[in-house]
């Protein structure tokens, strides 16, 4: 566990390159302290012994199935724009110690990583590593699933190193293993080569599809996530800051605090409806309904069948919605939040019961929430206890339909549908973004494919 690699040096010496807990010696019980790189040198007494030691060490390390060739995506624009420094100072030395060959690609624009993942020669690599926030991971997964050979491509293991705004996926992985969310633990998870399967959600509207690995939000959480983009320089603290400024120290600018208070005390409520297939144990939530879905004018059954034969890439689950037992809940809603993993960012445990590959999404729904209760709920999001609020419904679902509506307070305005930190649909709202949304502000369907993707993860 502690050994990264080794090198044979002049003078018949072998240098073992390892990680140790600072001032604690070799880590025998997991990564519980601050890790530092260290080396240990020994000198066999003969040339034969040196050759034998070298061969045995190499054979053993090779037997562990660790990656030897990695493609690194580096996002120099994410979060506090520190990814380049993090890579050069904190990531690259570990990879060099482990004698891993790397190819580094700095992303130049949005969807750059997706374009590369969609066309790359997979045979050249044993894995992909994203030194970034969660956005590059999402791009890579979408790129792999849009390939003609998607069924093989999606088995490519993906690693995460926290260097962005949210870092929810790597936080979830490391927290599940009882390890702090830091760069050294994240890159060690990649080097050691352990893997974990990950559910992938397919969000569809007609023939348009988007593959999600983190979350989908509509209402309060989506508004906060997207409208706080102007504070992205603050990193993951921007979410806490925007929804609960009282949690942060008083040196922050008053203008930001005013904006945050305005969002809470001018709370929006949204008309609409959600439909879902509950996981076992959650069948009593909502009201029963029958699933009826007529093809749109632009997508008849024949056109849909033709699409499946012509379009490359993964088209989503083959599950038949009409064969499932559906329930429904109508608005108004304050927030609807679907989560695939426990943490939404390093500071927000959105769905404390979420699992990486259980085949379900965790639904966190808020209705009828007084403003003071909202302040209390938001302050509890760092440990997941917000789901215990009487105003929160927290269940697991297998499939989901969102039918978004207008704001109760102003029916001329609508909302934002946010998936994995990006706007996928924008209604008639005050917030204006630069990117054209992928979908219309209308009904979207979500299904879950259990364990479809693969991540490098701590043991």
């Amino acid at each position: 566990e502690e050994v990264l690699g080794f090198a044979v040096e002049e003078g018949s010496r072998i240098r073992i390159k390892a990680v140790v807990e600072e001032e604690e010696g070799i880590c025998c019980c997991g990564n519980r302290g601050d890790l530092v790189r260290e080396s240990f040198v020994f000198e066999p007494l003969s040339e034969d012994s040196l050759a034998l030691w070298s061969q045995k060490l190499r054979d053993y390390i090779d037997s562990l199935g660790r990656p030897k060739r990695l493609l690194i995506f580096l996002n120099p624009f994410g979060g506090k724009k520190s990814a380049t420094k993090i890579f050069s100072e904190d990531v690259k030395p570990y990879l060099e110690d482990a004698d891993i060959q790397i190819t580094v690609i700095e992303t130049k624009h949005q969807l750059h990583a997706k374009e590369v993942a969609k066309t790359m020669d997979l045979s050249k690599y044993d894995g992909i590593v994203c030194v970034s926030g969660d956005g590059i991971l999402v791009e890579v997964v979408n790129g792999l699933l849009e390939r003609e050979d998607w069924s093989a491509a999606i088995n490519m293991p993906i690693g995460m190193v926290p260097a962005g705004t949210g870092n929810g996926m790597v936080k979830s992985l490391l927290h599940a293993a009882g390890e702090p969310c830091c760069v050294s633990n994240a890159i060690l998870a990649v080097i050691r080569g352990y893997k974990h399967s990950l559910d992938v959600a397919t969000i569809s509207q007609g023939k348009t599809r988007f593959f999600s690995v983190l979350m989908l939000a509509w209402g309060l959480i989506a508004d906060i996530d997207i409208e706080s983009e102007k504070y992205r320089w603050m990193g993951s603290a921007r979410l806490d800051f925007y929804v609960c400024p009282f949690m942060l120290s008083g040196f922050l600018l008053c203008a930001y605090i005013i904006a945050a208070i305005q969002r809470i005390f001018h709370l929006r409520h949204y008309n609409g409806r959600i439909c879902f297939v509950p996981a076992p144990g959650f069948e009593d939530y909502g009201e029963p309904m029958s699933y009826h879905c007529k093809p749109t004018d632009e997508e008849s059954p024949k056109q849909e069948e033709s699409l499946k034969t012509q379009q490359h890439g993964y088209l989503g689950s083959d599950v038949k919605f009409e064969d499932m037992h559906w329930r429904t809940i109508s608005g108004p809603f304050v927030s609807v939040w679907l989560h695939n993993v426990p943490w939404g960012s390093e500071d927000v445990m959105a769905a404390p019961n979420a699992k990486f590959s259980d085949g379900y999404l965790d639904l966190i729904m808020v209705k009828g929430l007084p403003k003071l209760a909202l302040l209390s709920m938001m302050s509890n999001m760092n440990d997941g206890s917000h789901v215990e609020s009487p105003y929160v419904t927290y269940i697991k679902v297998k499939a989901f339909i969102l039918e978004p509506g207008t704001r109760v307070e102003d029916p001329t305005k609508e909302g934002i549908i946010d998936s994995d930190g990006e706007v996928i649909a924008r209604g008639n709202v005050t917030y204006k973004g630069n990117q054209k949304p992928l979908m219309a502000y209308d009904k979207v369907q979500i299904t879950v494919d259990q364990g479809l993707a693969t991540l490098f993860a701590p043991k």
Side-chain angles (χ1 to χ4, degrees):
E1 290 290 313
E2 292 74 32
V3 172
L4 299 173
F6 74 96
V8 178
E9 300 180 339
E10 292 183 8
S12 301
R13 297 189 307 175
I14 295 178
R15 182 177 297 273
I16 302 291
K17 300 174 182 180
V19 291
V20 301
E21 287 189 21
E22 196 168 16
E23 299 181 355
E24 293 293 336
I26 295 289
C27 339
C28 298
C29 303
N31 298 325
R32 295 179 296 182
D34 293 332
L35 298 178
V36 294
R37 294 164 50 241
E38 186 60 271
S39 62
F40 303 87
V41 179
F42 69 98
E43 186 172 354
L45 297 179
S46 68
E47 289 293 330
D48 289 343
S49 181
L50 174 68
L52 183 59
W53 268 105
S54 299
Q55 187 59 48
K56 291 294 185 181
L57 283 169
R58 175 55 57 204
D59 290 345
Y60 185 75
I61 290 176
D62 289 347
S63 74
L64 298 175
R66 293 180 173 182
K68 298 179 180 179
R69 306 163 301 166
L70 293 173
L71 175 63
I72 312 288
F73 283 113
L74 176 63
N75 180 11
F77 307 108
K80 298 180 181 179
K81 298 180 173 61
S82 58
T84 301
K85 181 179 180 181
I86 288 173
F87 174 74
S88 61
E89 296 182 3
D90 302 320
V91 175
K92 189 176 180 182
Y94 280 88
L95 298 174
E96 290 174 341
D97 285 353
D99 196 24
I100 294 176
Q101 300 175 30
I102 61 173
T103 300
V104 180
I105 296 179
E106 284 197 8
T107 55
K108 305 298 183 185
H109 52 79
Q110 192 173 26
L111 301 182
H112 185 185
K114 177 183 175 182
E115 294 166 3
V116 174
K118 191 173 179 180
T119 58
M120 63 184 283
D121 183 352
L122 298 175
S123 66
K124 292 182 177 180
Y125 305 103
D126 302 315
I128 297 171
V129 178
C130 307
V131 184
S132 65
D134 295 312
I136 299 299
L137 168 65
V138 177
E139 288 192 24
V140 169
V141 170
N142 274 267
L144 294 177
L145 286 174
E146 288 186 11
R147 297 169 61 104
E148 188 172 0
D149 62 345
W150 67 265
S151 59
I154 197 59
N155 292 321
M156 174 71 73
I158 307 169
M160 293 293 300
V161 174
T165 301
N167 305 318
M169 184 62 73
V170 68
K171 171 71 173 186
S172 297
L173 289 167
L174 293 171
H175 183 264
E179 298 183 358
C181 183
C182 62
V183 172
S184 58
N185 285 338
I187 195 59
L188 283 172
V190 174
I191 291 171
R192 289 166 176 161
Y194 300 124
K195 301 175 183 66
H196 201 303
S197 58
L198 176 69
D199 292 344
V200 176
T202 302
I203 304 171
S204 59
Q205 187 180 79
K207 58 186 178 183
T208 303
R209 292 172 177 83
F210 179 82
F211 303 107
S212 168
V213 293
L214 286 165
M215 64 87 172
L216 178 136
W218 170 62
L220 176 66
I221 298 301
D223 293 344
I224 291 169
D225 192 28
I226 301 305
E227 293 179 3
S228 64
E229 282 292 302
K230 54 190 170 183
Y231 307 125
R232 184 173 285 272
W233 59 270
M234 296 173 61
S236 61
R238 70 187 173 94
L239 180 60
D240 287 332
F241 164 74
Y242 201 79
V243 300
C244 195
F246 313 110
M247 296 172 62
L248 300 180
S249 56
F251 69 89
L252 295 175
L253 297 178
C254 292
Y256 293 165
I257 296 177
I258 291 171
I261 293 174
Q262 185 179 26
R263 169 53 56 243
I264 293 174
F265 289 99
H266 291 80
L267 189 61
R268 299 167 180 167
H269 298 78
Y270 289 90
N271 295 306
R273 184 173 79 141
I274 62 171
C275 311
F276 56 91
V277 177
F282 298 95
E283 295 90 348
D284 293 335
Y285 288 86
E287 300 296 328
M289 63 164 283
S290 298
Y291 177 82
H292 299 287
C293 182
K294 296 181 180 179
T296 64
D297 292 339
E298 63 176 357
E299 189 177 2
S300 66
K302 289 184 178 179
Q303 288 173 324
E304 175 67 14
E305 187 63 31
S306 175
L307 175 70
K308 289 186 177 182
T309 60
Q310 294 177 15
Q311 183 176 341
H312 296 314
Y314 182 58
L315 297 180
S317 173
D318 291 331
V319 63
K320 295 186 180 301
F321 279 15
E322 59 271 18
D323 296 337
M324 306 174 83
H325 298 289
W326 287 87
R327 312 283 290 184
T328 184
I329 298 175
S330 295
F333 300 97
V334 172
S335 180
V336 173
W337 203 3
L338 284 168
H339 241 271
N340 193 33
V341 295
W343 292 84
S345 72
E346 290 185 59
D347 307 307
V348 177
M349 182 185 273
N353 297 333
K355 307 297 181 184
F356 293 99
S357 56
D358 63 353
Y360 300 103
L361 293 172
D362 286 37
L363 169 63
I364 307 102
M365 182 189 66
V366 181
K367 295 182 68 177
L369 180 67
K371 294 168 185 176
L372 290 179
L374 172 61
L375 285 171
S376 175
M377 188 191 79
M378 287 297 185
S379 67
N380 292 329
M381 291 178 68
N382 61 338
D383 63 4
S385 59
H386 63 287
V387 301
E388 299 171 6
S389 167
Y391 303 101
V392 174
T393 299
Y394 182 35
I395 65 176
K396 287 182 176 287
V397 300
K398 181 64 179 176
F400 186 85
I401 296 174
L402 172 64
E403 298 178 3
T406 61
R407 297 182 196 171
V408 173
E409 298 81 7
D410 186 350
T412 65
K413 296 180 179 179
E414 296 171 316
I416 297 168
I417 302 176
D418 166 21
S419 180
D420 297 351
E422 301 294 336
V423 176
I424 63 168
R426 183 189 299 115
N428 180 22
V429 296
T430 55
Y431 170 80
K432 300 296 182 184
N434 297 324
Q435 298 292 327
K436 182 180 179 181
L438 184 67
M439 300 177 182
Y441 187 75
D442 202 346
K443 180 169 71 173
V444 295
Q445 300 182 152
I446 300 99
T447 54
V448 188
D449 291 283
Q450 185 171 9
L452 186 63
T454 303
L455 299 177
F456 286 116
K459 189 174 181 180

